[in-house]
Amino acid sequence: MDQLKRQAAAKALEQVRDGMKLGLGTGSTAKHFVDLLGEKVAAGLRVVGVPTSEATRAQAEACGIPLTTLDDIDRLDITIDGADEMDPALNLIKGGGGALLREKIVAAASDRMIVIADDSKWVDVLGRFPLPIEVIPFGLTATRRAISDAFAQSGVSGQMVVRKGKDGHVFVTDGGHWIIDAHLGRIADAPRLAGLLSLIPGVVEHGLFIGLGSTAILAGAQGIRVVERR
Ligand code: 5RP
């Protein structure tokens, strides 16, 4: 599996040109990309990156990749990031690694988003992977109620679990928020649910990435498949 992730990352690297401004994703697949990009930078490639998490920042710095922020540049050329699920419209579930807020901000500031993954992430309908919803701890019960209403309005239901870290404590994002993982099974109308969740005051962001993915690079046993958003 790790080899497949690296193959997808290597394929995405072919799209990177000298002088580009890049969004650097988070997770085990994006980690391969940062690693390979670091090798190119060491060999003379000139790029600048905006990391989507503190973990990616630390890795990119260790790899010698020059970094900047969205306050210091205009647009990014490409963001390269992983995903937990993607459907044929290239809508995504992201946030398994807890970085969905910065990932979405960075992807939205990019001309293109290339999603890299092993082909197990490809699904007909999103929702098998629990949907991460980043929330403010204040008023959590009211926020959960509003999220339940949004689920009902978009025809889904399922258990909501506040994410815990490996240490058993509540997982806290880079932005200081919590994450609710919603076990929905199947999200028939992801754009509708995304819109409803975005209206809830206590929801900082959710892991449905609608219309952001431009290209998917999927590595599988049969080779690499590149899918462009129609
Ligand atoms: C982190 C993410 C990751 O991109 C997603 O969880 C995929 O991770 P991996 O490449 O490790 O499977 O959204 O917030």
Side-chain angles (χ1 to χ4, degrees), residues 5 26-30 81-84 93-100 103 116 121 129:
K5 293 177 180 188
T26 296
S28 57
T29 318
D81 202 348
D84 299 301
I93 287 183
K94 284 188 53 58
L100 62 140
E103 288 172 336
I116 50 176
K121 305 290 184 69
F129 191 90

Side-chain angles (χ1 to χ4, degrees), residues 95 97-101 131-141 143-144 147 160-165 168-182 202-207:
L100 62 140
L101 175 58
L131 175 65
I133 304 173
E134 187 159 345
V135 294
I136 302 272
F138 177 86
L140 188 61
T141 302
T143 302
R144 285 178 77 124
I147 293 171
M160 285 189 253
V161 181
V162 175
R163 188 180 297 182
K164 299 239 173 81
H169 293 112
V170 173
F171 177 86
V172 180
T173 67
D174 284 345
H177 311 123
W178 293 1
I179 288 183
I180 290 174
D181 289 307
V203 170
V204 183
E205 197 44 87
H206 55 77

